[in-house]
PDB file of all heavy atoms in Angstrom:
ATOM      1  N   ALA A 962     -15.158 -12.684   1.699  1.00  0.00           N
ATOM      2  CA  ALA A 962     -16.124 -12.292   2.719  1.00  0.00           C
ATOM      3  C   ALA A 962     -16.091 -10.787   2.896  1.00  0.00           C
ATOM      4  O   ALA A 962     -15.075 -10.120   2.599  1.00  0.00           O
ATOM      5  CB  ALA A 962     -15.800 -12.978   4.049  1.00  0.00           C
ATOM      6  N   LEU A 963     -17.199 -10.218   3.356  1.00  0.00           N
ATOM      7  CA  LEU A 963     -17.309  -8.776   3.585  1.00  0.00           C
ATOM      8  C   LEU A 963     -17.503  -8.495   5.068  1.00  0.00           C
ATOM      9  O   LEU A 963     -18.222  -9.223   5.755  1.00  0.00           O
ATOM     10  CB  LEU A 963     -18.508  -8.199   2.816  1.00  0.00           C
ATOM     11  CG  LEU A 963     -18.528  -8.395   1.302  1.00  0.00           C
ATOM     12  CD1 LEU A 963     -19.845  -7.881   0.734  1.00  0.00           C
ATOM     13  CD2 LEU A 963     -17.348  -7.695   0.634  1.00  0.00           C
ATOM     14  N   ILE A 964     -16.861  -7.434   5.564  1.00  0.00           N
ATOM     15  CA  ILE A 964     -17.051  -7.014   6.953  1.00  0.00           C
ATOM     16  C   ILE A 964     -17.193  -5.492   7.010  1.00  0.00           C
ATOM     17  O   ILE A 964     -16.912  -4.784   6.042  1.00  0.00           O
ATOM     18  CB  ILE A 964     -15.893  -7.469   7.875  1.00  0.00           C
ATOM     19  CG1 ILE A 964     -14.575  -6.820   7.450  1.00  0.00           C
ATOM     20  CG2 ILE A 964     -15.768  -8.977   7.875  1.00  0.00           C
ATOM     21  CD1 ILE A 964     -13.427  -7.127   8.397  1.00  0.00           C
ATOM     22  N   GLY A 965     -17.610  -4.994   8.166  1.00  0.00           N
ATOM     23  CA  GLY A 965     -17.733  -3.541   8.349  1.00  0.00           C
ATOM     24  C   GLY A 965     -18.813  -2.944   7.478  1.00  0.00           C
ATOM     25  O   GLY A 965     -19.809  -3.588   7.146  1.00  0.00           O
ATOM     26  N   ASP A 966     -18.627  -1.667   7.074  1.00  0.00           N
ATOM     27  CA  ASP A 966     -19.665  -1.028   6.270  1.00  0.00           C
ATOM     28  C   ASP A 966     -19.589  -1.411   4.797  1.00  0.00           C
ATOM     29  O   ASP A 966     -20.330  -0.865   3.978  1.00  0.00           O
ATOM     30  CB  ASP A 966     -19.678   0.500   6.454  1.00  0.00           C
ATOM     31  CG  ASP A 966     -18.304   1.121   6.392  1.00  0.00           C
ATOM     32  OD1 ASP A 966     -17.332   0.410   6.119  1.00  0.00           O
ATOM     33  OD2 ASP A 966     -18.204   2.339   6.626  1.00  0.00           O
ATOM     34  N   ALA A 967     -18.720  -2.371   4.442  1.00  0.00           N
ATOM     35  CA  ALA A 967     -18.800  -2.986   3.112  1.00  0.00           C
ATOM     36  C   ALA A 967     -19.981  -3.941   3.062  1.00  0.00           C
ATOM     37  O   ALA A 967     -20.443  -4.323   1.989  1.00  0.00           O
ATOM     38  CB  ALA A 967     -17.510  -3.748   2.795  1.00  0.00           C
ATOM     39  N   ALA A 968     -20.494  -4.305   4.255  1.00  0.00           N
ATOM     40  CA  ALA A 968     -21.559  -5.297   4.327  1.00  0.00           C
ATOM     41  C   ALA A 968     -22.782  -4.848   5.123  1.00  0.00           C
ATOM     42  O   ALA A 968     -23.826  -5.479   5.052  1.00  0.00           O
ATOM     43  CB  ALA A 968     -21.022  -6.582   4.949  1.00  0.00           C
ATOM     44  N   HIS A 969     -22.664  -3.755   5.879  1.00  0.00           N
ATOM     45  CA  HIS A 969     -23.739  -3.375   6.787  1.00  0.00           C
ATOM     46  C   HIS A 969     -24.184  -1.932   6.568  1.00  0.00           C
ATOM     47  O   HIS A 969     -23.373  -1.059   6.240  1.00  0.00           O
ATOM     48  CB  HIS A 969     -23.292  -3.535   8.244  1.00  0.00           C
ATOM     49  CG  HIS A 969     -22.832  -4.917   8.583  1.00  0.00           C
ATOM     50  ND1 HIS A 969     -23.686  -5.990   8.636  1.00  0.00           N
ATOM     51  CD2 HIS A 969     -21.598  -5.404   8.870  1.00  0.00           C
ATOM     52  CE1 HIS A 969     -23.004  -7.086   8.955  1.00  0.00           C
ATOM     53  NE2 HIS A 969     -21.730  -6.757   9.094  1.00  0.00           N
ATOM     54  N   ALA A 970     -25.475  -1.692   6.760  1.00  0.00           N
ATOM     55  CA  ALA A 970     -25.994  -0.328   6.684  1.00  0.00           C
ATOM     56  C   ALA A 970     -25.485   0.466   7.882  1.00  0.00           C
ATOM     57  O   ALA A 970     -25.571   0.014   9.020  1.00  0.00           O
ATOM     58  CB  ALA A 970     -27.525  -0.344   6.670  1.00  0.00           C
ATOM     59  N   MET A 971     -24.945   1.647   7.631  1.00  0.00           N
ATOM     60  CA  MET A 971     -24.387   2.488   8.686  1.00  0.00           C
ATOM     61  C   MET A 971     -25.111   3.833   8.733  1.00  0.00           C
ATOM     62  O   MET A 971     -25.394   4.416   7.687  1.00  0.00           O
ATOM     63  CB  MET A 971     -22.902   2.769   8.423  1.00  0.00           C
ATOM     64  CG  MET A 971     -22.014   1.554   8.551  1.00  0.00           C
ATOM     65  SD  MET A 971     -21.853   1.051  10.261  1.00  0.00           S
ATOM     66  CE  MET A 971     -22.125  -0.693  10.090  1.00  0.00           C
ATOM     67  N   THR A 972     -25.378   4.320   9.926  1.00  0.00           N
ATOM     68  CA  THR A 972     -25.884   5.680  10.060  1.00  0.00           C
ATOM     69  C   THR A 972     -24.770   6.635   9.656  1.00  0.00           C
ATOM     70  O   THR A 972     -23.639   6.521  10.123  1.00  0.00           O
ATOM     71  CB  THR A 972     -26.304   5.970  11.517  1.00  0.00           C
ATOM     72  OG1 THR A 972     -27.310   5.031  11.878  1.00  0.00           O
ATOM     73  CG2 THR A 972     -26.842   7.388  11.657  1.00  0.00           C
ATOM     74  N   ALA A 973     -25.086   7.566   8.783  1.00  0.00           N
ATOM     75  CA  ALA A 973     -24.064   8.457   8.235  1.00  0.00           C
ATOM     76  C   ALA A 973     -23.340   9.230   9.327  1.00  0.00           C
ATOM     77  O   ALA A 973     -23.935   9.701  10.285  1.00  0.00           O
ATOM     78  CB  ALA A 973     -24.708   9.440   7.259  1.00  0.00           C
TER      79      ALA A 973
END
Side-chain angles (χ1 to χ4, degrees):
L963 302 175
I964 63 175
D966 46 5
H969 303 291
M971 292 289 133
T972 301

